[in-house]
Protein backbone atom coordinates (compact mmCIF):
# COMPACT_ATOMS: atom_id res chain seq x y z
CA UNK A 1 0.00 0.00 0.00
CA UNK A 2 1.03 3.60 -0.64
CA UNK A 3 1.40 5.82 2.41
CA UNK A 4 -1.90 7.65 1.91
CA UNK A 5 -3.68 4.28 1.92
CA UNK A 6 -1.72 2.97 4.92
CA UNK A 7 -2.89 5.81 7.13
CA UNK A 8 -6.47 4.60 6.60
CA UNK A 9 -6.11 0.84 6.14
CA UNK A 10 -2.65 -0.09 7.49
CA UNK A 11 -2.93 -2.90 10.05
CA UNK A 12 -6.71 -2.44 10.17
CA UNK A 13 -9.60 -4.89 9.82
CA UNK A 14 -13.32 -4.59 10.55
CA UNK A 15 -14.23 -5.71 14.06
CA UNK A 16 -14.76 -9.50 13.84
CA UNK A 17 -17.67 -9.58 16.28
CA UNK A 18 -19.79 -6.81 14.73
CA UNK A 19 -18.19 -5.76 11.46
CA UNK A 20 -17.61 -2.24 12.81
CA UNK A 21 -15.36 -0.32 10.39
CA UNK A 22 -13.69 1.64 13.20
CA UNK A 23 -12.28 -0.46 16.07
CA UNK A 24 -14.55 -0.09 19.11
CA UNK A 25 -13.33 1.50 22.32
CA UNK A 26 -12.74 -1.53 24.53
CA UNK A 27 -13.09 0.24 27.88
CA UNK A 28 -12.22 -2.83 29.90
CA UNK A 29 -9.37 -3.84 32.19
CA UNK A 30 -9.73 -7.62 32.17
CA UNK A 31 -11.00 -10.47 29.98
CA UNK A 32 -12.80 -13.77 30.63
CA UNK A 33 -10.80 -16.99 30.39
CA UNK A 34 -12.37 -20.34 29.54
CA UNK A 35 -9.74 -22.14 31.63
CA UNK A 36 -6.70 -20.89 33.56
CA UNK A 37 -4.32 -19.47 30.96
CA UNK A 38 -6.78 -20.01 28.08
CA UNK A 39 -8.09 -16.78 26.59
CA UNK A 40 -8.74 -15.08 23.23
CA UNK A 41 -5.44 -13.22 23.10
CA UNK A 42 -6.25 -10.73 25.83
CA UNK A 43 -6.03 -11.23 29.58
CA UNK A 44 -5.30 -7.82 31.16
CA UNK A 45 -5.26 -4.43 29.45
CA UNK A 46 -1.81 -3.43 30.71
CA UNK A 47 -0.47 -6.23 28.48
CA UNK A 48 -2.79 -5.57 25.54
CA UNK A 49 -6.14 -4.01 24.70
CA UNK A 50 -7.94 -4.49 21.35
CA UNK A 51 -8.30 -0.75 20.70
CA UNK A 52 -4.63 -0.16 21.49
CA UNK A 53 -3.65 -3.17 19.36
CA UNK A 54 -5.46 -1.67 16.36
CA UNK A 55 -3.56 1.59 16.84
CA UNK A 56 -0.22 -0.14 17.34
CA UNK A 57 -0.70 -2.13 14.13
CA UNK A 58 -1.32 1.16 12.35
CA UNK A 59 1.75 2.72 13.98
CA UNK A 60 3.88 -0.10 12.59
CA UNK A 61 2.37 0.20 9.11
CA UNK A 62 2.91 3.94 8.63
CA UNK A 63 6.60 3.73 9.66
CA UNK A 64 7.25 0.57 7.59
CA UNK A 65 7.92 -1.34 10.80
CA UNK A 66 6.70 -4.68 12.09
CA UNK A 67 5.78 -3.66 15.65
CA UNK A 68 4.27 -0.52 17.15
CA UNK A 69 3.75 0.48 20.77
CA UNK A 70 1.43 3.14 22.20
CA UNK A 71 2.56 4.83 25.43
CA UNK A 72 0.92 7.20 27.87
CA UNK A 73 3.13 10.08 26.61
CA UNK A 74 6.08 10.80 24.36
CA UNK A 75 8.37 10.98 27.39
CA UNK A 76 7.11 7.57 28.54
CA UNK A 77 8.20 6.19 25.17
CA UNK A 78 11.67 7.75 25.54
CA UNK A 79 11.85 6.40 29.10
CA UNK A 80 11.23 2.90 27.73
CA UNK A 81 14.08 3.20 25.22
CA UNK A 82 16.53 4.29 27.92
CA UNK A 83 15.46 1.34 30.07
CA UNK A 84 16.95 -0.93 27.40
CA UNK A 85 20.35 0.25 28.69
CA UNK A 86 22.46 -0.47 31.77
CA UNK A 87 24.50 1.69 34.19
CA UNK A 88 27.78 2.65 32.54
CA UNK A 89 26.32 2.76 29.03
CA UNK A 90 26.82 5.92 26.98
CA UNK A 91 24.41 7.76 24.71
CA UNK A 92 25.27 10.25 21.97
CA UNK A 93 22.53 12.78 21.32
CA UNK A 94 21.99 16.21 19.81
CA UNK A 95 22.88 19.56 21.34
CA UNK A 96 19.45 20.89 20.33
CA UNK A 97 16.71 18.80 21.96
CA UNK A 98 13.18 19.08 23.22
CA UNK A 99 13.48 20.41 26.78
CA UNK A 100 11.65 17.41 28.26
CA UNK A 101 14.11 15.00 26.65
CA UNK A 102 17.07 16.99 28.00
CA UNK A 103 15.49 17.09 31.46
CA UNK A 104 14.91 13.32 31.46
CA UNK A 105 18.46 12.60 30.28
CA UNK A 106 20.23 14.88 32.76
CA UNK A 107 17.96 14.90 35.80
CA UNK A 108 16.82 11.27 35.83
CA UNK A 109 18.98 8.86 33.89
CA UNK A 110 22.39 10.42 34.56
CA UNK A 111 21.91 9.62 38.25
CA UNK A 112 21.15 6.00 37.28
CA UNK A 113 24.59 5.67 35.71
CA UNK A 114 24.02 6.56 32.06
CA UNK A 115 26.37 9.05 30.38
CA UNK A 116 25.17 11.47 27.70
CA UNK A 117 27.22 13.30 25.06
CA UNK A 118 25.46 16.32 23.51
CA UNK A 119 26.86 17.09 20.05
CA UNK A 120 25.89 19.02 16.94
CA UNK A 121 24.56 16.28 14.69
CA UNK A 122 24.39 18.46 11.60
CA UNK A 123 27.87 17.06 10.96
CA UNK A 124 27.69 13.25 10.98
CA UNK A 125 31.37 13.01 11.90
CA UNK A 126 30.62 14.62 15.28
CA UNK A 127 28.75 11.45 16.23
CA UNK A 128 31.60 9.18 15.18
CA UNK A 129 34.09 11.12 17.35
CA UNK A 130 32.28 10.11 20.54
CA UNK A 131 31.65 6.41 19.79
CA UNK A 132 33.49 4.03 22.10
CA UNK A 133 33.07 0.56 23.57
CA UNK A 134 30.47 1.89 26.05
CA UNK A 135 28.27 3.52 23.42
CA UNK A 136 24.90 1.76 23.26
CA UNK A 137 22.49 4.33 21.83
CA UNK A 138 22.41 7.23 19.37
CA UNK A 139 19.40 9.49 19.97
CA UNK A 140 18.50 11.76 17.05
CA UNK A 141 16.00 14.54 16.60
CA UNK A 142 15.62 15.73 13.04
CA UNK A 143 14.38 18.35 12.48
CA UNK A 144 15.37 19.45 15.98
CA UNK A 145 13.25 21.35 18.47
CA UNK A 146 13.36 24.36 18.25
CA UNK A 147 16.27 25.25 15.91
CA UNK A 148 15.23 22.91 13.08
CA UNK A 149 18.69 21.35 12.64
CA UNK A 150 18.87 18.42 10.24
CA UNK A 151 20.79 15.21 10.91
CA UNK A 152 21.60 12.81 8.08
CA UNK A 153 19.86 9.68 9.39
CA UNK A 154 21.25 7.34 6.74
CA UNK A 155 24.86 8.52 7.03
CA UNK A 156 24.87 8.49 10.83
CA UNK A 157 23.30 5.01 10.88
CA UNK A 158 25.92 3.69 8.45
CA UNK A 159 28.77 5.18 10.47
CA UNK A 160 27.45 3.78 13.73
CA UNK A 161 26.77 0.29 12.41
CA UNK A 162 30.22 0.17 10.81
CA UNK A 163 31.69 0.66 14.28
CA UNK A 164 29.33 -1.72 16.14
CA UNK A 165 26.12 -3.23 14.77
CA UNK A 166 24.69 -3.62 18.27
CA UNK A 167 24.57 0.14 18.92
CA UNK A 168 20.94 1.26 18.65
CA UNK A 169 20.00 4.25 16.51
CA UNK A 170 16.75 5.89 17.61
CA UNK A 171 15.06 8.83 15.89
CA UNK A 172 12.51 11.23 17.35
CA UNK A 173 10.40 11.71 14.23
CA UNK A 174 7.77 13.94 15.85
CA UNK A 175 8.39 17.09 13.76
CA UNK A 176 8.58 15.30 10.41
CA UNK A 177 6.05 12.44 10.85
CA UNK A 178 6.22 9.32 8.67
CA UNK A 179 4.51 11.25 5.89
CA UNK A 180 7.71 13.26 5.44
CA UNK A 181 10.47 10.80 6.42
CA UNK A 182 10.69 7.15 7.51
CA UNK A 183 13.82 6.57 9.61
CA UNK A 184 13.54 2.76 9.70
CA UNK A 185 14.06 2.76 5.93
CA UNK A 186 17.17 4.92 6.42
CA UNK A 187 18.87 2.52 8.84
CA UNK A 188 17.45 3.46 12.24
CA UNK A 189 16.43 0.77 14.73
CA UNK A 190 13.75 2.67 16.63
CA UNK A 191 11.39 5.51 15.71
CA UNK A 192 9.76 7.56 18.45
CA UNK A 193 6.85 10.00 18.22
CA UNK A 194 5.08 12.27 20.60
CA UNK A 195 1.76 11.15 19.14
CA UNK A 196 0.23 14.05 21.06
CA UNK A 197 1.41 16.16 18.15
CA UNK A 198 0.91 15.44 14.44
CA UNK A 199 -0.20 11.82 14.66
CA UNK A 200 -3.15 12.73 16.88
CA UNK A 201 -3.33 16.08 15.18
CA UNK A 202 -6.20 17.67 17.09
CA UNK A 203 -4.73 18.74 20.47
CA UNK A 204 -7.04 16.37 22.35
CA UNK A 205 -4.77 13.58 23.62
CA UNK A 206 -1.37 12.89 25.19
CA UNK A 207 0.46 9.83 23.82
CA UNK A 208 3.82 8.43 22.77
CA UNK A 209 4.77 5.86 20.14
CA UNK A 210 7.65 3.54 19.32
CA UNK A 211 8.03 1.64 16.05
CA UNK A 212 10.62 -1.07 15.26
CA UNK A 213 11.19 -3.86 12.75
CA UNK A 214 13.33 -6.21 14.83
CA UNK A 215 11.58 -9.07 16.64
CA UNK A 216 14.02 -9.28 19.56
CA UNK A 217 13.94 -5.53 20.11
CA UNK A 218 10.14 -5.57 19.97
CA UNK A 219 10.02 -8.24 22.66
CA UNK A 220 12.29 -6.19 24.93
CA UNK A 221 10.19 -3.05 24.46
CA UNK A 222 6.95 -4.93 25.11
CA UNK A 223 8.35 -6.41 28.32
CA UNK A 224 9.45 -3.00 29.61
CA UNK A 225 6.11 -1.43 28.73
CA UNK A 226 4.21 -4.28 30.40
CA UNK A 227 6.43 -4.27 33.48
CA UNK A 228 6.48 -0.47 33.90
CA UNK A 229 2.87 0.07 32.83
CA UNK A 230 3.16 3.28 30.78
CA UNK A 231 0.39 2.35 28.36
CA UNK A 232 -2.04 4.41 26.30
CA UNK A 233 -5.68 4.04 27.26
CA UNK A 234 -8.40 2.85 24.87
CA UNK A 235 -10.10 6.24 24.51
CA UNK A 236 -6.85 7.97 23.53
CA UNK A 237 -5.98 5.05 21.24
CA UNK A 238 -9.29 5.54 19.44
CA UNK A 239 -8.65 9.26 19.05
CA UNK A 240 -5.11 8.72 17.74
CA UNK A 241 -6.29 6.16 15.20
CA UNK A 242 -8.93 8.60 14.00
CA UNK A 243 -6.30 11.33 13.71
CA UNK A 244 -3.89 9.24 11.67
CA UNK A 245 -6.54 8.64 9.01
CA UNK A 246 -6.13 12.25 7.86
CA UNK A 247 -2.38 12.55 8.56
CA UNK A 248 -1.39 12.70 4.89
CA UNK A 249 -3.93 15.41 4.09
CA UNK A 250 -3.01 17.49 7.13
CA UNK A 251 0.74 17.21 6.55
CA UNK A 252 0.36 18.38 2.96
CA UNK A 253 -1.28 21.59 4.18
CA UNK A 254 1.04 21.99 7.18
CA UNK A 255 3.99 21.79 4.79
CA UNK A 256 2.52 24.20 2.24
CA UNK A 257 1.68 26.74 4.93
CA UNK A 258 5.01 26.23 6.73
CA UNK A 259 7.03 26.99 3.59
CA UNK A 260 4.90 30.04 2.76
CA UNK A 261 5.35 31.48 6.26
CA UNK A 262 9.09 30.74 6.30
CA UNK A 263 9.47 32.64 3.03
CA UNK A 264 7.35 35.52 4.36
CA UNK A 265 9.42 35.79 7.54
CA UNK A 266 12.72 35.53 5.62
CA UNK A 267 11.95 38.84 3.91
CA UNK A 268 10.43 40.64 6.90
CA UNK A 269 12.40 43.71 8.05
CA UNK A 270 11.91 42.91 11.76
CA UNK A 271 13.14 39.31 11.51
CA UNK A 272 16.83 38.53 12.00
CA UNK A 273 16.86 34.83 11.08
CA UNK A 274 14.47 32.06 10.07
CA UNK A 275 14.98 28.40 10.96
CA UNK A 276 13.25 26.15 8.42
CA UNK A 277 14.86 23.26 6.50
CA UNK A 278 12.91 24.07 3.33
CA UNK A 279 14.69 27.38 2.76
CA UNK A 280 17.45 26.91 0.20
CA UNK A 281 19.90 28.95 2.27
CA UNK A 282 19.42 26.77 5.37
CA UNK A 283 22.58 24.92 6.44
CA UNK A 284 21.50 21.38 5.61
CA UNK A 285 18.95 22.05 2.89
CA UNK A 286 20.37 19.36 0.59
CA UNK A 287 20.30 16.68 3.32
CA UNK A 288 16.76 17.67 4.21
CA UNK A 289 15.70 17.57 0.57
CA UNK A 290 17.21 14.11 0.20
CA UNK A 291 15.58 12.45 3.22
CA UNK A 292 12.36 14.45 3.56
CA UNK A 293 9.35 14.43 1.23
CA UNK A 294 8.46 17.99 2.29
CA UNK A 295 9.54 20.22 5.16
CA UNK A 296 6.62 20.29 7.59
CA UNK A 297 4.88 23.00 9.53
CA UNK A 298 7.40 23.91 12.23
CA UNK A 299 9.10 27.30 11.78
CA UNK A 300 11.30 29.17 14.25
CA UNK A 301 12.60 32.72 13.87
CA UNK A 302 14.50 35.41 15.74
CA UNK A 303 13.47 39.04 16.02
CA UNK A 304 16.07 41.71 15.32
CA UNK A 305 15.03 43.38 18.58
CA UNK A 306 16.30 40.90 21.17
CA UNK A 307 14.69 42.49 24.23
CA UNK A 308 12.24 40.60 26.38
CA UNK A 309 9.65 43.38 26.14
CA UNK A 310 9.71 43.43 22.34
CA UNK A 311 9.48 39.63 22.10
CA UNK A 312 6.62 39.39 24.61
CA UNK A 313 4.74 42.19 22.84
CA UNK A 314 4.80 40.15 19.62
CA UNK A 315 3.80 36.95 21.43
CA UNK A 316 0.85 38.70 23.10
CA UNK A 317 -0.36 40.31 19.85
CA UNK A 318 -1.40 37.23 17.89
CA UNK A 319 -5.09 36.62 17.24
CA UNK A 320 -5.11 33.37 15.23
CA UNK A 321 -1.85 31.85 16.48
CA UNK A 322 -2.53 30.72 20.05
CA UNK A 323 0.25 31.20 22.62
CA UNK A 324 0.52 27.69 24.05
CA UNK A 325 2.73 24.69 24.68
CA UNK A 326 2.74 21.75 22.23
CA UNK A 327 2.48 21.63 18.45
CA UNK A 328 1.15 19.62 15.53
CA UNK A 329 -2.57 20.35 15.86
CA UNK A 330 -4.77 21.62 13.06
CA UNK A 331 -4.73 25.05 14.73
CA UNK A 332 -1.67 27.33 14.62
CA UNK A 333 0.29 27.82 17.85
CA UNK A 334 3.09 30.19 18.85
CA UNK A 335 5.62 29.29 21.53
CA UNK A 336 8.48 30.98 23.39
CA UNK A 337 11.08 28.21 23.89
CA UNK A 338 13.16 30.08 26.48
CA UNK A 339 10.30 30.36 28.97
CA UNK A 340 8.07 27.48 27.87
CA UNK A 341 9.17 24.23 26.20
CA UNK A 342 12.90 24.62 26.89
CA UNK A 343 12.85 26.36 30.28
CA UNK A 344 14.22 23.18 31.91
CA UNK A 345 17.52 23.56 30.01
CA UNK A 346 20.06 25.69 31.94
CA UNK A 347 20.34 29.25 30.59
CA UNK A 348 24.02 28.86 29.66
CA UNK A 349 23.27 25.74 27.60
CA UNK A 350 20.34 27.43 25.88
CA UNK A 351 22.39 30.48 24.96
CA UNK A 352 25.29 28.35 23.74
CA UNK A 353 23.18 26.77 20.99
CA UNK A 354 21.04 29.81 20.19
CA UNK A 355 17.84 29.48 22.23
CA UNK A 356 17.65 33.15 23.15
CA UNK A 357 14.99 35.57 24.36
CA UNK A 358 14.15 36.72 20.83
CA UNK A 359 13.54 33.18 19.50
CA UNK A 360 9.92 32.35 18.62
CA UNK A 361 8.64 28.95 17.47
CA UNK A 362 5.57 28.53 15.31
CA UNK A 363 3.49 25.41 14.80
CA UNK A 364 1.81 26.37 11.54
CA UNK A 365 -1.70 24.92 11.27
CA UNK A 366 -3.93 24.19 8.31
CA UNK A 367 -5.90 27.44 8.25
CA UNK A 368 -6.03 29.67 5.17
CA UNK A 369 -2.49 30.91 4.57
CA UNK A 370 -3.71 34.48 3.88
CA UNK A 371 -5.22 34.67 7.37
CA UNK A 372 -2.07 33.31 9.01
CA UNK A 373 0.20 35.78 7.22
CA UNK A 374 -2.14 38.65 8.11
CA UNK A 375 -1.95 37.59 11.76
CA UNK A 376 1.84 37.49 11.60
CA UNK A 377 1.96 40.89 9.93
CA UNK A 378 -0.27 42.36 12.61
CA UNK A 379 1.67 40.80 15.50
CA UNK A 380 5.03 41.91 14.12
CA UNK A 381 3.61 45.38 13.79
Amino acid sequence: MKFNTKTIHGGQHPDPSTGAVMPPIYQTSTYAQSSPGKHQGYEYSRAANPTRTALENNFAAIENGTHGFAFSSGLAAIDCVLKLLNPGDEIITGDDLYGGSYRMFTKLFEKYGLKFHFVNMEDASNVTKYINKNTKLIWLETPTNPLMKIADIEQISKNVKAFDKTILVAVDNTFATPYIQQPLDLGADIVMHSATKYLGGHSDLVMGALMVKNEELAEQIHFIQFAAGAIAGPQDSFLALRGIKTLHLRMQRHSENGLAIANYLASHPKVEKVYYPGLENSKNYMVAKQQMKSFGGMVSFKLKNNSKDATFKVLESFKLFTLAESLGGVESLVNHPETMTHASIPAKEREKIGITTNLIRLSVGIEAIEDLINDLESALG
Side-chain angles (χ1 to χ4, degrees):
M1 286 186 281
K2 302 296 184 183
F3 182 82
N4 291 8
T5 307
K6 283 184 180 180
T7 59
I8 298 169
H9 298 286
Q12 303 304 295
H13 306 281
D15 181 67
S17 59
T18 65
V21 173
M22 280 297 290
I25 301 171
Y26 284 89
Q27 197 69 51
T28 184
S29 60
T30 192
Y31 306 82
Q33 301 188 19
S34 59
S35 182
K38 289 188 177 181
H39 49 77
Q40 298 179 56
Y42 298 92
E43 50 188 326
Y44 188 61
S45 281
R46 176 158 42 82
N49 172 283
T51 314
R52 193 168 87 239
T53 297
L55 172 63
E56 290 174 335
N57 289 340
N58 192 240
F59 277 167
I62 61 176
E63 280 287 8
N64 291 338
T66 56
H67 298 78
F69 302 90
F71 290 81
S72 52
S73 69
L75 284 171
I78 298 172
D79 176 82
C80 178
V81 174
L82 294 178
K83 285 174 178 171
L84 292 166
L85 310 179
N86 297 302
D89 289 347
E90 298 187 13
I91 300 93
I92 303 170
T93 187
D95 61 353
D96 180 33
L97 285 175
Y98 164 54
S101 302
Y102 181 91
R103 180 178 57 231
M104 176 181 284
F105 293 172
T106 59
K107 300 298 184 183
L108 290 180
F109 280 93
E110 277 191 348
K111 72 179 182 181
Y112 299 144
L114 298 183
K115 182 176 180 180
F116 294 86
H117 301 281
F118 298 92
V119 305
N120 184 351
M121 291 190 169
E122 290 177 298
D123 183 346
S125 67
N126 287 340
V127 178
T128 312
K129 291 175 187 176
Y130 284 88
I131 297 177
N132 60 56
K133 61 183 178 61
N134 296 321
T135 305
K136 301 300 178 185
L137 173 68
I138 313 298
W139 184 266
L140 303 174
E141 271 187 25
T142 182
T144 62
N145 182 3
L147 297 176
M148 307 302 291
K149 293 181 179 181
I150 300 297
D152 189 330
I153 301 170
E154 187 171 28
Q155 188 60 57
I156 290 173
S157 298
K158 283 181 179 178
N159 293 350
V160 169
K161 297 302 182 179
F163 183 91
D164 184 347
K165 291 182 179 180
T166 67
I167 298 174
L168 295 174
V169 177
V171 178
D172 182 339
N173 202 27
T174 300
F175 272 24
T177 80
Y179 172 80
I180 290 176
Q181 68 186 13
Q182 295 174 321
L184 295 179
D185 290 345
L186 297 172
D189 301 290
I190 302 171
V191 175
M192 175 268 166
H193 288 269
S194 174
T196 310
K197 314 305 193 296
Y198 285 111
L199 297 191
H202 294 79
S203 301
D204 54 9
L205 62 90
V206 174
M207 183 183 290
L210 294 178
M211 295 81 154
V212 300
K213 58 179 181 181
N214 176 283
E215 186 70 33
E216 182 180 354
L217 186 56
E219 289 176 2
Q220 293 175 315
I221 290 172
H222 180 263
F223 172 78
I224 293 169
Q225 184 185 42
F226 172 72
I231 58 167
Q235 176 71 35
D236 282 349
S237 296
F238 179 88
L239 290 172
L241 194 54
R242 178 213 59 181
I244 290 172
K245 289 186 182 295
T246 60
L247 177 64
H248 55 295
L249 298 173
R250 290 185 286 106
M251 291 312 299
Q252 288 172 19
R253 179 57 63 86
H254 283 300
S255 295
E256 290 168 4
N257 284 356
L259 181 59
I261 282 180
N263 281 317
Y264 166 78
L265 290 170
S267 61
H268 197 284
K270 292 188 177 181
V271 173
E272 176 186 307
K273 185 173 182 179
V274 179
Y275 301 86
Y276 187 72
L279 295 178
E280 293 187 14
N281 64 352
S282 65
K283 184 174 180 180
N284 281 313
Y285 170 73
M286 294 308 298
V287 175
K289 189 176 180 181
Q290 181 178 339
Q291 73 184 16
M292 302 172 74
K293 179 179 179 180
S294 58
F295 304 104
M298 298 303 300
V299 183
S300 294
F301 65 98
K302 283 186 176 180
L303 298 171
K304 285 183 179 177
N305 188 333
N306 62 5
S307 73
K308 180 179 178 180
D309 288 345
T311 303
F312 277 35
K313 184 178 180 180
V314 170
L315 291 166
E316 293 165 359
S317 298
F318 286 98
K319 298 293 186 285
L320 278 181
F321 283 86
T322 301
L323 179 61
E325 302 270 0
S326 200
L327 59 104
V330 292
E331 68 289 321
S332 294
L333 301 178
V334 58
N335 172 274
H336 187 235
E338 182 186 63
T339 58
M340 297 169 73
T341 51
H342 292 69
S344 60
I345 299 176
K348 287 184 178 180
E349 296 300 319
R350 288 198 306 263
E351 291 168 9
K352 188 189 302 182
I353 63 170
I355 301 176
T356 51
T357 300
N358 59 337
L359 179 70
I360 293 173
R361 191 193 74 183
L362 302 177
S363 174
V364 181
I366 64 172
E367 302 95 336
I369 188 60
E370 296 85 357
D371 292 330
L372 295 179
I373 289 178
N374 286 341
D375 194 35
L376 269 169
E377 189 171 340
S378 175
L380 289 168

